[in-house]
Amino acid sequence: MGKSLTYKILESHIVEGTLDSGSEITIKIDQTLTQDSTGTMVYLQLEAMNVEKIKTEISVAYIDHNTLQTGFENADDHAFIKSVAQRHGILFSKPGNGICHQLHLENYGKPGKTLLGSDSHTPTGGGLGMIAMGAGGLDVAVAMAEGTYSLIVPKVINVKLTGKLNPWVSAKDIILYVLKNLSVKGGVGKVVEYTGDGVAALSVTDRATITNMGAELGATTSLFPSDKNTEDYLRSQGRPEDYIALSADPDATYDEILEVNLSELEPLAAKPHSPDNVDSVKNIGEIKIDQVAIGSCTNSSYSDLMKVANILKGKKIHPDVSLVISPGSSKILSKMAENGALAHMIHAGARIIENACGPCIGMGQAPKSGGVSLRSFNRNFKGRSGTADADVYLVSPETAAISAITGVLSDGRKFGNLSSIKDETFEYNDNFIVYPGIQEKGDIPIEMGPNIKPFPLNKSLTNVVQGKVVLKTGDNITTDDIMPSNAKLLPYRSNIPFLSKYCFIGIDEDFSKRCDDNEGGIIIGGDNYGQGSSREHAALVPLYLGIKFILAKSFARIHRSNLINSGIIPLVFENLQDYDHIQLLDELIIENAIDQVKKGKVTIKNKTKNETYASQSNLSELELEMILKGGKINTIKTK
Ligand code: MIC
Ligand code: SF4
């Protein structure tokens, strides 16, 4: 029986376990990446593990999220990360170099390797034929310390691409189409593997757009084969020696198959407020827009921005529209400065902002009240733009650029053909990279600014776990809902006590106080609880506030792991209708918690309603140990 590329790469990295779907394996991790808004926690945790030298082939610490530096906090975080990177053999990418995923694709990703990153869009590397996964910061710290990561063997969905894209239809429309079909929870526990004749016409950066936004499916990762286009891309980046050819066996078997005929696709948009709320631009109609933002780790590659420059050349941005462009990397920006594309953008009236995440994570460029913003980004959760009542639509860079000129959401096919983009070769430039120090470990002082506070630690599981329900949520709660990120809060990612006042603030502004008044408590969640970002702050802050367990209909993968790493039990309803019975401030209790959690079946008593609910903990062996010992750090300490 033939093998998928996913299973071939996993198999070549297995350290422990067998490759049977649903069982737990430990794999070797070749590369890691961190970014600054999750990075300070990662490096505090790495320091706490007292590691001499990291075990990966390459680890890079990027600074791209928190670059506004409105106070000392961001710059202190950068200095802290740089000092830890120096001490442990990690490459440091200075602010201004660009967005971690774009940079990793350009400079370090390699076909057939494994990459673990403390950011949910790490699967961007799948565009190069890697197994690239997002994870919580602690998992990335352990991957650096031990060179391994444990996961449940995923199922594999095969997305078979046939046909060829028409002008004005691009990679973003492919992933929006897949999202429309599979939904934001359709990828949980699965890898999405792309094959078929249609693959050959997609460049590595097109592929990376698709695998990047596979994160929005909830998938473990997504990947493409490594072929001639991969070789061309690596050559254009000055590293042809990193190429190897990789593909699935022709008779590979898959758990699910989705066929997509590229010739039939049209320009699409994800409507507010979810990446899977997809319709065609034509059906949505010519809605008036206030802002257009082009960039982010999904669509800020050289070819994306050159397409935009060609559309803007000789044109003028509509008077009612603000267009902002954030290039993906310093290489792309300098190439566009050399070839004049930047001048076309500026001349048309575009605002060029730093090569960083910027507006994608609400760091500036919040739309006006009730404004409509078209973005080439990957997430349009309510409030993420920094304006609570803004409507954000996710579109391709082509659709974004043409709409910036017309002032309304526009289907580019009405405006004639697009000129094709010439491939470029990039000069090797590592001027933004700081290489690790050569001194002995002890000689490199760690720089800790006053905003960097210790992270909370849980205690081992007690036999009776009880508390009041302090929050009941609906389905698809995002980590942006749990622990919002914006220009005001992002500078406090190293300060859990400060952040705790803002937990769930957009959903229930009394949440934090209710936790204080009741010595913590229990959260009741719907389906896909914790989708979105990898930020472990969405687990560490609830831990700090005294949350004991979360009982939900289902959980998103990375957030579930972050809860377990923090020692918070993620329990799943056995009978979904029990969800309807539970109300705010009901008193819940688990008796014989240790025995019950070990057995995997946990009965929860509702003392207020005099009812009982059956739930499952579904913990693997390693996860069970973490819950019993009160989290991953405590488990490591006992070894
Ligand atoms: C995001 O896109 O939500 C982020 C900000 O990149 C997060 C990481 C974070 O919260 O710091 C992610 O995707 O993991
Ligand atoms: Fe940065 Fe946005 Fe990508 Fe997250 S999704 S890494 S905030 S650009």
Side-chain angles (χ1 to χ4, degrees):
M1 214 165 50
K3 284 195 191 109
S4 63
L5 178 55
T6 307
Y7 276 27
K8 285 187 190 182
I9 303 179
L10 286 176
E11 197 172 57
S12 65
H13 285 79
I14 284 205
V15 176
E16 232 178 283
T18 48
L19 206 56
D20 301 320
S21 156
S23 66
E24 189 166 50
I25 49 168
T26 300
I27 57 167
K28 175 176 178 294
I29 293 296
D30 302 319
Q31 307 187 339
T32 64
L33 70 77
T34 58
Q35 42 88 340
D36 49 312
S37 67
T38 53
T40 44
M41 282 299 146
V42 176
Y43 296 114
L44 283 171
Q45 288 154 346
L46 188 69
E47 274 299 293
M49 281 181 242
N50 210 9
V51 175
E52 281 295 322
K53 198 168 169 338
I54 52 156
K55 296 225 169 64
T56 45
E57 290 168 12
I58 188 160
S59 287
V60 192
Y62 296 95
I63 307 290
D64 56 359
H65 281 62
N66 262 316
T67 57
L68 281 186
Q69 294 170 231
T70 44
F72 62 89
E73 294 87 356
N74 290 174
D76 282 3
D77 284 354
H78 303 170
F80 167 71
I81 292 174
K82 180 165 173 263
S83 63
V84 180
Q86 285 280 304
R87 184 185 269 205
H88 294 286
I90 297 159
L91 266 59
F92 178 79
S93 166
K94 289 162 83 174
N97 197 18
I99 306 173
C100 57
H101 306 302
Q102 176 64 35
L103 290 169
H104 208 83
L105 199 73
E106 286 175 0
N107 302 303
Y108 307 109
K110 286 186 192 176
K113 295 283 179 183
T114 54
L115 164 69
L116 197 72
S118 68
D119 190 281
S120 64
H121 290 105
T122 304
T124 312
L128 275 175
M130 320 177 70
I131 292 280
M133 295 172 289
L138 185 48
D139 286 322
V140 178
V142 172
M144 282 188 267
E146 294 176 3
T148 58
Y149 176 61
S150 303
L151 72 159
I152 302 298
V153 177
K155 293 197 160 135
V156 186
I157 308 181
N158 177 212
V159 177
K160 218 182 211 165
L161 304 177
T162 57
K164 200 165 178 283
L165 290 172
N166 288 309
W168 292 95
V169 186
S170 63
K172 181 62 155 278
D173 301 303
I174 303 178
I175 185 62
L176 287 176
Y177 179 83
V178 174
L179 269 155
K180 184 184 161 100
N181 275 272
L182 299 180
S183 91
V184 287
K185 54 178 190 163
V188 178
K190 298 168 189 167
V191 170
V192 185
E193 186 169 315
Y194 290 83
T195 65
D197 301 343
V199 165
L202 300 173
S203 67
V204 164
T205 52
D206 290 337
R207 297 172 186 183
T209 293
I210 295 169
T211 59
N212 168 285
M213 227 179 144
E216 275 53 68
L217 295 164
T220 304
T221 190
S222 304
L223 81 168
F224 274 82
S226 170
D227 57 11
K228 168 86 176 51
N229 297 359
T230 321
E231 188 177 14
D232 290 347
Y233 178 77
L234 290 169
R235 180 167 302 110
S236 77
Q237 302 301 323
R239 45 193 193 101
E241 67 283 0
D242 288 344
Y243 172 69
I244 51 164
L246 288 173
S247 61
D249 290 333
D251 59 342
T253 51
Y254 293 97
D255 297 286
E256 278 171 54
I257 295 183
L258 173 69
E259 296 208 16
V260 182
N261 183 347
L262 302 181
S263 322
E264 285 172 5
L265 290 187
E266 47 183 343
L268 299 174
K271 298 181 286 181
H273 298 286
S274 180
D276 61 357
N277 189 16
V278 173
D279 200 350
S280 70
V281 169
K282 199 170 72 198
N283 281 348
I284 299 169
E286 296 189 339
I287 51 167
K288 195 166 158 30
I289 54 176
D290 305 290
Q291 185 193 51
V292 174
I294 298 176
S296 91
C297 55
T298 312
N299 278 123
S300 61
S301 66
Y302 176 74
S303 57
D304 279 343
L305 297 188
M306 285 305 292
K307 279 189 243 171
V308 170
N310 286 348
I311 295 169
L312 296 181
K313 189 173 173 185
K315 301 283 189 322
K316 182 178 173 182
I317 305 306
H318 190 277
D320 297 339
V321 174
S322 165
L323 168 66
V324 290
I325 299 176
S326 38
S329 75
S330 53
K331 260 190 198 175
I332 296 171
L333 180 60
S334 65
K335 185 61 99 190
M336 291 196 315
E338 279 161 27
N339 67 15
L342 196 55
H344 300 319
M345 292 172 165
I346 298 168
H347 192 78
R351 304 163 69 177
I352 309 297
I353 54 174
E354 193 175 15
N355 317 326
C357 298
C360 180
I361 190 57
M363 293 300 272
Q365 305 296 330
K368 74 174 191 188
S369 296
V372 174
S373 180
L374 291 193
R375 301 181 159 211
S376 72
F377 304 171
N378 48 37
R379 288 183 175 147
N380 59 346
F381 305 142
K382 196 168 169 40
R384 180 173 160 106
S385 65
T387 304
D389 61 358
D391 276 347
V392 175
Y393 292 74
L394 307 174
V395 294
S396 69
E398 295 90 323
T399 302
I402 191 71
S403 305
I405 298 168
T406 60
V408 291
L409 176 65
S410 300
D411 185 330
R413 292 174 299 177
K414 287 202 278 187
F415 297 85
N417 268 351
L418 273 176
S419 40
S420 61
I421 306 299
K422 201 169 87 1
D423 274 345
E424 288 284 352
T425 308
F426 292 83
E427 299 270 301
Y428 184 71
N429 181 348
D430 60 357
N431 288 347
F432 276 98
I433 297 293
V434 181
Y435 291 96
I438 42 167
Q439 297 102 308
E440 288 302 305
K441 180 180 168 187
D443 292 338
I444 302 169
I446 296 299
E447 283 194 49
M448 278 264 223
N451 184 47
I452 303 178
K453 306 281 186 237
F455 53 88
L457 272 181
N458 212 332
K459 299 208 175 71
S460 46
L461 184 65
T462 51
N463 229 354
V464 176
V465 180
Q466 59 183 329
K468 285 188 180 156
V469 174
V470 282
L471 185 72
K472 183 173 173 184
T473 76
D475 291 344
N476 293 322
I477 283 293
T478 70
T479 51
D480 283 289
D481 294 324
I482 304 171
M483 199 52 257
S485 274
N486 52 42
K488 289 188 200 96
L489 293 181
L490 213 55
Y492 295 94
R493 279 296 184 87
S494 314
N495 187 340
I496 300 288
F498 182 92
L499 284 182
S500 71
K501 298 186 196 71
Y502 299 89
C503 192
F504 281 110
I505 190 100
I507 291 210
D508 179 346
E509 57 183 23
D510 298 327
F511 174 76
S512 177
K513 178 158 185 313
R514 196 174 302 123
C515 289
D516 284 349
D517 294 347
N518 293 289
E519 291 171 31
I522 290 136
I523 295 174
I524 306 297
D527 245 333
N528 201 22
Y529 180 88
Q531 68 158 330
S533 147
S534 69
R535 69 190 67 145
E536 58 195 341
H537 303 76
L540 290 174
V541 171
L543 167 64
Y544 179 83
L545 290 170
I547 297 301
K548 314 215 160 55
F549 65 90
I550 299 179
L551 175 59
K553 291 184 183 170
S554 66
F555 288 88
R557 175 186 71 93
I558 305 180
H559 184 59
R560 180 178 174 278
S561 299
N562 284 338
L563 289 172
I564 295 168
N565 286 351
S566 306
I568 299 176
I569 323 168
L571 293 173
V572 178
F573 282 105
E574 224 168 70
N575 307 310
L576 294 185
Q577 57 277 25
D578 286 344
Y579 167 91
D580 299 325
H581 293 207
I582 307 175
Q583 283 176 314
L584 198 65
L585 296 181
D586 280 0
E587 219 173 317
L588 306 187
I589 180 165
I590 304 176
E591 284 158 349
N592 296 324
I594 297 179
D595 265 4
Q596 292 210 66
V597 167
K598 278 186 184 161
K599 287 192 186 116
K601 295 231 177 227
V602 179
T603 304
I604 299 159
K605 283 191 185 154
N606 186 334
K607 285 183 17 188
T608 316
K609 301 254 157 61
N610 206 10
E611 293 177 339
T612 55
Y613 314 119
S615 76
Q616 292 184 1
S617 51
N618 299 325
L619 299 168
S620 70
E621 225 173 283
L622 296 173
E623 289 172 343
L624 174 64
E625 194 184 358
M626 288 192 261
I627 289 295
L628 295 176
K629 296 201 169 134
K632 193 161 193 151
I633 294 261
N634 290 339
T635 310
I636 293 170
K637 276 189 185 157
T638 55
K639 282 190 177 147

